[in-house]
Amino acid sequence: MAKQTLEQKLAILSDAAKYDASCASSGSTRRDSRDGKGLGSNEGSGICHAYAPDGRCISLLKILMTNFCIYDCSYCINRVSSNVARARFSVDEVVRLTIEFYRRNYIEGLFLSSGVIRSPDATMLDMVRIARRLRHDENFRGYIHLKTIPDAAPELIEEAGLLADRLSINVELPTDAAVKRYAPEKKPDQIRRAMADVRLRKETAKDRSYTGKRPPRFAPAGQSTQMIIGADGSNDAAVLGQSTRLYSSYRLKRVYYSAFSPIPDSSAKLPLIRPPLQREHRLYQADWLLRFYGFDLDEITGATQDGNLDLQIDPKLAWALKHRGLFPLDVNRASREMLLRVPGFGVKTVKRILTTRRHRALRYEDITRMGASMKKARAFVTAGGWSPRALTDSADLRARFAPPPEQLSLL
């Protein structure tokens, strides 16, 4: 086989990395780069966008170290039995790419994942070497996110956390049974032990010594995980239930939902259910409601009988339509908890409402200026100069929000 160029490897391994969804950098400590090394954000091969703690949109070089893999997970395009083009970066090549992209103002950080080659320890060791070279030899102060391998030795994961801003360990699928069926070489118990170890090390790193000295920072941007949805028969209630447990048990920054799409040469006959990208979008919306809006799991998934989210309308709207008796709410009197349940009201909008109404009564146009989506909210609130009257209970209210029917093609 002809030797691959660096550009050919980059094309293969940046494309292979698109299946890794854990790419956000929010929560990390911002490093000062105002000493003549200002960075920008540009498009390019292998570059993804994420958000810094101050809200800036930054760019990360997003690549796999290799898409060779000794595992044969049914849902993975890079599994050992898959007939895809393969490539592998050396440690030097990843370091060189990162620094060259950094110097050219293309990126402000690195997102590095990898297939498992030779063994989990061998693969993790190479990833740690890359991070070590960047931090110590190149004095790289940009953001680093490492996808860690749960079967790797704890000391390797510990060093990875001392070098990287964020670590992530994939839980793979919503249930243990699904992991055992479609990824039999991976062990759910070991995945959870590794995630628990990362949480413990991060919490320990916050403790000062008896002299008051702080220990080295460990994964300051925390840890996240990724879950493949649609590759097994789990409904949305099972997916969100697993996410809720993960957030609580491991203090995760984020659970990422990765929509499964059928792999052309797959022989596993995975039970693809429901439109994957649309379902992924609704799961992210529901995840947000559970974390920041005070909703319970049963409230979110109870809008339908099968435990799945309504794909035509967002989860908050689905809940509001099912509980019309609680509406309309008076924006000048309703509690924060109930205002957060109004379709079209976000956390910032509710905060502005609560702050402003201490001084004066709010009118319809005031709510509009505060950033609310009144196209959704108008049927569920009253304000000065506005009442929905019978709109809240109208039979065709759902049809006003659902997408219009499409004529399907027969060809």
Side-chain angles (χ1 to χ4, degrees), residues 308-367:
N308 285 314
L309 301 173
D310 192 323
L311 296 183
Q312 292 188 310
I313 56 177
D314 69 75
K316 188 198 280 193
L317 179 56
W319 180 88
L321 289 173
K322 189 177 180 181
H323 297 83
R324 298 191 200 195
L326 300 175
F327 299 100
L329 296 178
D330 183 347
V331 296
N332 288 295
R333 301 173 62 88
S335 66
R336 177 181 183 274
E337 290 72 23
M338 286 306 298
L339 288 173
L340 284 172
R341 291 171 177 251
V342 174
F345 281 13
V347 174
K348 290 183 179 179
T349 297
V350 170
K351 183 178 180 180
R352 289 167 184 156
I353 289 173
L354 295 175
T355 300
T356 306
R357 76 183 191 184
R358 296 193 191 115
H359 308 288
R360 61 182 176 85
L362 295 170
R363 297 183 61 80
Y364 182 91
E365 51 270 25
D366 295 326
I367 308 301

Side-chain angles (χ1 to χ4, degrees), residues 221-234:
Q223 70 168 316
S224 57
T225 192
Q226 179 175 339
M227 190 187 307
I228 308 296
I229 55 104
D232 70 322
S234 299

Side-chain angles (χ1 to χ4, degrees), residues 244-261:
T244 301
R245 290 187 291 272
L246 292 171
Y247 280 121
S248 174
S249 299
Y250 308 112
R251 301 291 191 268
L252 299 182
K253 287 293 184 180
R254 194 72 184 272
V255 174
Y256 289 87
Y257 306 101
S258 181
F260 170 76
S261 296

Side-chain angles (χ1 to χ4, degrees), residues 168-315:
S168 56
I169 300 172
N170 289 354
V171 295
E172 305 297 342
L173 294 165
T175 67
D176 288 1
V179 175
K180 292 174 182 177
R181 180 176 180 183
Y182 298 117
E185 295 151 307
K186 296 184 177 179
K187 303 175 180 62
D189 289 342
Q190 178 58 35
I191 293 172
R192 285 191 287 269
R193 279 195 295 270
M195 293 176 71
D197 191 47
V198 169
R199 174 192 168 180
L200 181 62
R201 291 182 188 279
K202 180 169 176 56
E203 291 177 348
T204 302
K206 297 178 182 177
D207 299 332
R208 294 177 181 267
S209 67
Y210 69 95
T211 61
K213 184 178 179 180
R214 286 184 179 275
R217 296 186 313 164
F218 184 88
Q223 70 168 316
S224 57
T225 192
Q226 179 175 339
M227 190 187 307
I228 308 296
I229 55 104
D232 70 322
S234 299
N235 63 14
D236 294 335
V239 172
L240 292 168
Q242 173 72 306
S243 296
T244 301
R245 290 187 291 272
L246 292 171
Y247 280 121
S248 174
S249 299
Y250 308 112
R251 301 291 191 268
L252 299 182
K253 287 293 184 180
R254 194 72 184 272
V255 174
Y256 289 87
Y257 306 101
S258 181
F260 170 76
S261 296
I263 301 169
D265 68 339
S266 176
S267 59
K269 297 181 180 179
L270 298 175
L272 180 66
I273 55 173
R274 315 176 78 221
L277 292 177
Q278 202 170 358
R279 185 186 184 197
E280 177 187 298
H281 178 58
R282 295 298 182 214
L283 284 168
Y284 276 119
Q285 291 177 320
D287 182 287
W288 212 252
L289 294 179
L290 291 169
R291 295 167 64 201
F292 303 113
Y293 285 75
F295 282 83
D296 293 329
L297 179 62
D298 291 342
E299 292 179 305
I300 294 293
T301 58
T304 60
Q305 294 182 346
D306 60 0
N308 285 314
L309 301 173
D310 192 323
L311 296 183
Q312 292 188 310
I313 56 177
D314 69 75

Side-chain angles (χ1 to χ4, degrees), residues 3 37 64 91 107 195 233 237 306 316 346 348 371 407:
K3 185 176 180 180
K37 297 181 180 179
L64 297 186
V91 171
I107 63 166
M195 293 176 71
D306 60 0
K316 188 198 280 193
K348 290 183 179 179
Q407 175 63 52

